[in-house]
Amino acid sequence: MNADNIRKKIAIIGSGFSGLSAAAYAAKSGHEVHVFEKHHQPGGRARQFKTEEGFVFDMGPSWYWMPDIIEGFFNDFGYKASDFFTLVSLDPQFEMVFAEEKVSIPENNDEIRNLFEKIEPGAGNRYDQFMKSAQFKYEVGMKDFVTKPCYNWFEFASLKIAGSAMKLNLLSDFRKYVSGYFSDSKLRSLMEFPVIFLGASPQNIPALYSLMNYGGYVLGTKYPMGGFYQLVVAMKEVAEKQGVTFHFSREVQKINTEKGKVVSITIDGENYEFDTIIASSDYHHTETLLPKSLRNYKEEYWKTRTFAPSCLIYYLGIKGRIPHLKHHTLFFENELDNHIDCIYKNKKWPSKPLFYTCCPSKTDPDVAPEGCENLFLLLPLAPGIHDEEAVREKYLIKMLDRIEKHTGESHLVSRIEYKKSYCVSDFISDYNAYQGNAYGLSNTLSQTAVLKPKIKNKKIKNLFYTGQLTVPGPGVPPSIISGKIVATEVSKLKIK
């Protein structure tokens, strides 16, 4: 350790992916690290629960994309992901259901190309061109662009990034970019859907994020046997091997400061002294633990931000199999823009919703009792929307009806052995999520890089922020990167 950077006692608030990552990297740099988590288990939105009936549900993330970024985390500590869990490739990667037909995306990239050619003559070659450009964006974007702390634009003045500015398509909107390659509406939907995870309409997302298509389609969609939570367990183990101490069921109630520095945090009425704080908790909530005069942003700031969606989730244990349902299925029979308008313009429940199902029991026999299915349903919603149980149930029936139509099954409601809903108000109560958002801030051009909330408090020298509301943005790989960025910045900090 550099003599300037003496060993620090660091508190990390929250054990989501960014918190786990920050903890591991900070401890590896020689610091004493303590993680405080309000729940009884790690993972944040990626927690897992088991039912008496024998179902095992991942509560949040289910798309294992950008596997090289996740692998890079383990490599940094001398491990491989395979040291902790078994990763399998899904084939098909997913199925998308349209009004008149369904399209399955195969595992093999050449087969994807042939599929595009079959749907639209000439689209095979354009798919190759699209992915060649997307690969460039991925390699520059995920290895250089998103790894900056984003204090100012000068960080992006490197020859590699500056010289690549035009090829990164930072100022082009994603929808126009995609339509420049493909005319068929199904192909455009297939290429546009990944950016929905970034929390905005494709016309408001920079074309830079075609890197998502490469990180998904070309690198493949994976699944960790035992569920996505295996990644949480593995990262916690890596952190513990570096010397990190975890404290569960411990909610931080206040951040205490003196003379421009954090001196302690308050938990259950007791103060615990630390040299530095890293908040992996919701950024807006973290700021409420401080006096208003010491916050980075006023309440008006948050009101003007564009947040990624919240969502309605159902965790269902189904008796009997559902033969014609894939591991991942996207129900896109209705118009994408109508649903998006309900999220960002009208802020109401959609009349003709799109939704997503994950059925991990197709791949993993251990997540459901024999002969049963584990079903996860997710419907994107406007943050802050009213979500009483009766409305949730209404949309459950809508989704099950469409699954029945797609699969030829019937009476799914009568086959439910376990049911749990999760929506806007639950995101607020469990994660202190601003307006119940599920995915952080949208990655619009005006909320990218330096224009995101800062990772460092401007008035308190030893308070840092990490996670999906700061750089580089929402998603599991970006959150892991966010933790690494902030740990590096903390190690540079000189405390007097």
Side-chain angles (χ1 to χ4, degrees):
M1 181 178 295
N2 188 304
D4 289 332
N5 301 325
I6 60 171
R7 177 178 167 88
K8 303 178 183 74
K9 186 178 180 183
I10 300 171
I12 295 180
I13 306 173
S15 64
F17 285 114
S18 63
L20 291 170
S21 174
Y25 284 109
K28 183 187 177 189
S29 295
H31 305 296
E32 178 186 342
V33 179
H34 295 261
V35 178
F36 296 90
E37 168 59 54
K38 69 176 285 190
H39 297 106
H40 71 278
Q41 64 183 135
R45 287 166 169 78
R47 291 178 296 150
Q48 187 180 78
F49 70 93
K50 302 177 182 180
T51 75
E52 293 180 358
E53 297 82 1
F55 296 96
V56 181
F57 292 101
D58 284 322
M59 292 190 70
S62 57
W63 291 82
Y64 197 108
W65 273 7
M66 304 184 185
D68 58 323
I69 303 297
I70 299 174
E71 189 68 40
F73 169 83
F74 292 107
N75 294 167
D76 283 346
F77 298 91
Y79 300 108
K80 303 185 295 292
S82 59
D83 294 331
F84 301 94
F85 50 81
T86 300
L87 204 59
V88 297
S89 295
L90 300 183
D91 191 13
Q93 297 189 41
F94 63 90
E95 188 164 66
M96 186 172 278
V97 180
F98 297 101
E100 303 297 330
E101 61 181 305
K102 54 194 176 185
V103 177
S104 289
I105 295 296
E107 175 188 12
N108 182 277
N109 194 53
D110 288 337
E111 292 180 22
I112 300 177
R113 180 196 184 282
N114 295 337
L115 171 68
F116 273 57
E117 182 65 29
K118 183 178 178 181
I119 292 174
E120 180 184 316
N125 284 335
R126 292 194 294 276
Y127 173 83
D128 290 337
Q129 295 164 8
F130 184 99
M131 286 303 177
K132 183 178 180 181
S133 177
Q135 179 178 1
F136 174 82
K137 295 185 184 77
Y138 187 85
E139 290 173 351
V140 174
M142 296 307 293
K143 306 293 166 59
D144 295 287
F145 190 81
V146 304
T147 58
K148 308 297 183 186
C150 295
Y151 294 127
N152 56 65
W153 290 111
F154 291 109
E155 296 167 27
F156 300 93
S158 72
L159 287 175
K160 187 170 185 180
I161 295 178
S164 307
M166 293 299 292
K167 292 168 72 175
L168 289 174
N169 298 111
L170 276 168
L171 300 178
S172 313
D173 83 65
F174 192 77
R175 171 155 289 170
K176 287 182 181 176
Y177 183 78
V178 169
S179 64
Y181 284 89
F182 309 107
S183 299
D184 184 87
S185 61
K186 295 184 295 297
L187 295 186
R188 290 203 301 266
S189 291
L190 282 164
M191 300 308 272
E192 284 183 356
F193 110 82
V195 303
I196 295 172
F197 290 113
L198 300 175
S201 167
Q203 62 200 34
N204 294 324
I205 293 282
L208 163 71
Y209 291 105
S210 65
L211 63 85
M212 293 276 289
N213 300 91
Y214 178 81
Y217 294 10
V218 177
L219 297 185
T221 303
K222 315 294 182 184
Y223 172 79
M225 295 299 285
F228 210 98
Y229 188 65
Q230 297 305 310
L231 177 57
V232 172
V233 173
M235 290 181 67
K236 176 177 178 282
E237 186 174 342
V238 168
E240 288 177 324
K241 288 176 182 292
Q242 311 310 306
V244 175
T245 302
F246 286 85
H247 308 268
F248 295 107
S249 302
R250 306 298 302 277
E251 184 171 5
V252 176
Q253 294 148 339
K254 190 179 177 186
I255 297 174
N256 305 302
T257 64
E258 289 180 9
K259 298 177 181 177
K261 290 200 305 184
V262 168
V263 292
S264 65
I265 54 176
T266 302
I267 302 172
D268 296 330
E270 291 191 38
N271 293 339
Y272 298 85
E273 294 184 357
F274 287 94
D275 299 316
T276 307
I277 307 295
I278 298 174
S280 172
S281 44
D282 177 271
Y283 199 123
H284 171 269
H285 170 72
T286 302
E287 295 256 273
T288 67
L289 305 179
L290 294 164
K292 288 184 179 180
S293 62
L294 296 179
R295 298 173 189 176
N296 268 356
Y297 304 100
K298 296 179 179 179
E299 196 65 28
E300 289 71 24
Y301 169 87
W302 297 106
K303 291 177 181 177
T304 61
R305 298 303 91 188
T306 301
F307 277 82
S310 185
C311 54
L312 168 64
I313 299 172
Y314 266 94
Y315 310 98
L316 302 176
I318 303 291
K319 185 177 181 179
R321 309 296 289 187
I322 307 177
H324 300 294
L325 192 65
K326 301 294 191 288
H327 188 122
H328 294 301
T329 309
L330 296 146
F331 286 82
F332 268 53
E333 308 102 304
N334 298 322
E335 181 60 44
L336 171 63
D337 286 348
N338 288 342
H339 190 136
I340 286 175
D341 285 348
C342 289
I343 296 173
Y344 296 105
K345 291 183 181 178
N346 307 319
K347 297 191 182 299
K348 65 179 183 179
W349 285 82
S351 58
K352 295 182 177 180
L354 311 180
F355 69 100
Y356 155 68
T357 72
C358 180
C359 190
S361 48
K362 294 296 179 187
T363 305
D364 190 346
D366 293 334
V367 299
E370 187 174 353
C372 296
E373 299 282 28
N374 175 315
L375 204 55
F376 170 100
L377 311 181
L378 185 150
L379 190 157
L381 291 171
I385 202 168
H386 184 60
D387 67 339
E388 64 185 26
E389 195 63 38
V391 178
R392 299 184 189 191
E393 285 288 314
K394 173 186 169 185
Y395 279 83
L396 170 62
I397 300 303
K398 283 178 179 279
M399 290 187 282
L400 290 178
D401 284 348
R402 283 161 62 184
I403 292 172
E404 289 180 351
K405 180 181 177 183
H406 167 59
T407 61
E409 295 292 306
S410 59
H411 309 298
L412 285 178
V413 170
S414 65
R415 292 165 55 185
I416 294 174
E417 291 202 333
Y418 177 85
K419 177 176 70 174
K420 175 183 173 70
S421 67
Y422 201 94
C423 202
V424 177
S425 57
D426 300 297
F427 281 101
I428 293 171
S429 61
D430 278 0
Y431 309 120
N432 300 302
Y434 184 79
Q435 293 190 338
N437 80 84
Y439 303 107
L441 280 177
S442 301
N443 266 359
T444 58
L445 186 58
S446 63
Q447 294 181 168
T448 293
V450 173
L451 303 176
K452 285 190 180 294
K454 299 300 184 188
I455 67 166
K456 190 174 185 299
N457 188 286
K458 303 168 188 174
K459 301 161 187 174
I460 305 168
K461 68 177 296 182
N462 56 344
L463 173 59
F464 294 80
Y465 309 84
T466 186
Q468 61 181 10
L469 286 175
T470 183
V471 294
V476 174
S479 290
I480 292 173
I481 292 169
S482 183
K484 183 177 183 179
I485 291 170
V486 80
T488 300
E489 294 305 301
V490 165
S491 284
K492 293 177 184 176
L493 181 69
K494 297 177 182 179
I495 297 180
K496 295 180 181 178

